[in-house]
Amino acid sequence: MDPVTEALDDLHRRISPLKDGEVATYIPQLAHADPDDFGIALTSMAGHRYQAGSADTPFSIQSVSKPFVYALALTDLGPEEMLRRVGAEPSGEAFNAISLEEDTGRPANPMINAGAIATTALVEAPDPAARFARILDCLSAFAGRRLDHDEDVYASEAETGDRNRALAYLMRSAGSLEGDPHTVTDTYFRQCSVRVTAADLAVMAATLAKGGLNPVTGARVVTQDVAVRTLAIMATCGMYDGAGQWLLNVGLPAKSGVSGGLIAVSPGRFGVAIYSPPLDAEGNSVRGVVALTAVSARFQLHLMHAPVHLTATVTDTGTAARSSRVRTPEQAAALDRDPRRITVVGAQGELEFTETEQLLNAVAETAPGTPGAVVLDLTAVTGVSSGPAAMLAAALADLEEQGHRVAVAVQEPFLEQSEARPGSWTGFSTRDEALAWCEDRFLDSPGLLNDASP
Ligand code: GLN
């Protein structure tokens, strides 16, 4: 058994005996759930899937659908319009509370029922059937397989869903919901009845963890920006009135549902899902909360935990490096006489803020004291985000202002010439070519070879 499955199995074994909590009954069909069902699933960024217990047991997604439908509506409307229609503040109230802004009637956030109903209504479609079809397509793309809905659960909620209809009527009277409250809640009930397993939810969560890219199918489901905004709302509002404590103790964006589903996302690492129907007073799965608290502590996943930088960014700094060019004895002697005239700094990996700051310090420390040449070898760099790329471009422009020649060896166009501070650094595809170019500039300096003779 692999170590991840072993860890999930161990967790499952330790938490199974926990019998606290109550299965939800206000939607009559949910009362049939088996309180002993308990599944854990995890999907990694490489698309590997791990699970323990009843992770293949189907259940209705309920509120765990909310972040995904929010991502869909956000894609349709864009961030400003979305925020104008549905807020982004934790309500500190129960999932079915009347959390509407006083003057505008705007629901507090899209993770509670009022905000979720408004969000469902915002999904662009010519008619309700097409709207639900788009929602089902979206949930299916997140899950990486074709999902369907549970007609019995849908009918059961439609029969008893007056509170949600009341919320919809309130919103319509306040001007924050367009359309017929009956039709809108009907679509919302269908959305809540979509059938998933813990294994499905883990893939859905992992898609958010991977910036909107489904790690199993390889499909882009939503943009990175949409995934980031969705995760932010999950972090502040995903656990209803337990959201603050959850962020404190577990520190991961999460979303729970009344059928006992619970997902959590560790951005860039994995998506994890639990299915266990008994709920606590806040409406969150009891075993789910305990399991995810343990997972977060064990792997130090809390978002506020300072990230560990595993690989060194600066691979080497050199002052006496030479290219493979054949030189005359005079040229070689001239190059050797002042080894600090040409310096080299090599870097590797992803350049985020911290890595770039390290790299720029190394460049500043090794740059020649008198005007010379600096070779920056970025051939082993795998990516530079836009902020750090601008930092780098500015630093190169500074070096040139100080009178240095700058040669950059880089495979990909990571480092566009910055528009704000156009530099004149020269790009090469290998360190050797960059070095040879600097040597040539140096050897071209008038009088240098004559000065070289003793
Ligand atoms: N369909 C449920 C409702 O609207 C979803 C609530 C939940 O999962 N917390 O009441």
Side-chain angles (χ1 to χ4, degrees), residues 22-214:
E22 299 292 333
V23 172
T25 53
Y26 76 98
I27 299 174
Q29 272 294 316
L30 296 185
H32 302 317
D34 181 350
D36 290 328
D37 268 346
F38 178 28
I40 311 180
L42 184 150
T43 302
S44 72
M45 294 300 83
H48 294 302
R49 307 177 66 170
Y50 306 90
Q51 63 181 64
S54 32
D56 291 320
T57 303
F59 56 96
S60 58
I61 188 168
Q62 299 298 339
S63 286
V64 183
S65 63
K66 289 170 183 172
F68 302 102
V69 176
Y70 175 72
L72 177 61
L74 180 58
T75 304
D76 285 352
L77 271 71
E80 282 96 39
E81 183 60 10
M82 190 69 224
L83 196 57
R84 219 175 56 73
R85 309 295 287 263
V86 179
E89 297 303 330
S91 65
E93 292 182 301
F95 70 94
N96 56 5
I98 310 169
S99 291
L100 306 181
E101 237 171 38
E102 242 176 67
D103 42 347
T104 61
R106 181 178 72 152
N109 72 67
M111 300 294 115
I112 52 165
N113 286 10
I117 293 166
T119 302
T120 297
L122 288 171
V123 170
E124 283 169 5
D127 56 65
R131 180 165 299 114
F132 179 64
R134 282 197 69 210
I135 289 171
L136 190 60
D137 283 349
C138 167
L139 295 173
S140 300
F142 269 107
R145 77 174 179 95
R146 198 67 217 154
L147 301 175
D148 60 8
H149 83 283
D150 184 325
E151 192 59 31
D152 293 338
V153 173
Y154 155 73
S156 180
E157 183 163 9
E159 218 164 278
T160 56
D162 283 344
R163 189 177 173 98
N164 283 325
R165 282 189 203 98
L167 284 174
Y169 275 104
L170 273 175
M171 287 191 287
R172 190 173 66 166
S173 76
S176 55
L177 181 82
E178 285 157 24
D180 169 38
H182 259 273
T183 317
V184 170
T185 43
D186 187 76
T187 308
Y188 167 79
F189 296 150
R190 270 180 214 281
Q191 164 192 324
C192 289
S193 77
V194 168
R195 220 181 328 229
V196 291
T197 64
D200 290 326
L201 288 183
V203 178
M204 297 174 80
T207 301
L208 288 176
K210 201 167 173 159
L213 202 70
N214 185 316

Side-chain angles (χ1 to χ4, degrees), residues 358-390:
Q358 271 172 22
L359 173 60
L360 294 183
N361 273 317
V363 170
E365 276 162 25
T366 38
T370 52
V374 176
V375 171
L376 189 57
D377 181 359
L378 303 181
T379 49
V381 166
T382 46
V384 188
S385 36
S386 59

Side-chain angles (χ1 to χ4, degrees), residues 430-442:
T430 65
R431 175 189 292 216
D432 196 53
E433 283 168 38
L435 260 175
W437 179 83
C438 291
E439 291 167 1
D440 288 345
R441 300 287 78 69
F442 183 44

Side-chain angles (χ1 to χ4, degrees), residues 348-439:
Q348 66 179 2
E350 291 289 307
L351 302 188
E352 295 283 343
F353 175 84
T354 303
E355 293 78 10
T356 308
E357 191 257 352
Q358 271 172 22
L359 173 60
L360 294 183
N361 273 317
V363 170
E365 276 162 25
T366 38
T370 52
V374 176
V375 171
L376 189 57
D377 181 359
L378 303 181
T379 49
V381 166
T382 46
V384 188
S385 36
S386 59
M391 278 165 69
L392 210 48
L396 297 186
D398 274 347
L399 286 171
E400 282 169 339
E401 261 164 41
Q402 291 158 25
H404 299 303
R405 301 271 192 169
V406 179
V408 184
V410 62
Q411 233 97 54
E412 311 227 3
F414 289 141
L415 207 56
E416 299 299 331
Q417 297 276 7
S418 143
E419 276 171 32
R421 301 191 52 188
S424 52
W425 53 268
T426 312
F428 298 90
S429 54
T430 65
R431 175 189 292 216
D432 196 53
E433 283 168 38
L435 260 175
W437 179 83
C438 291
E439 291 167 1

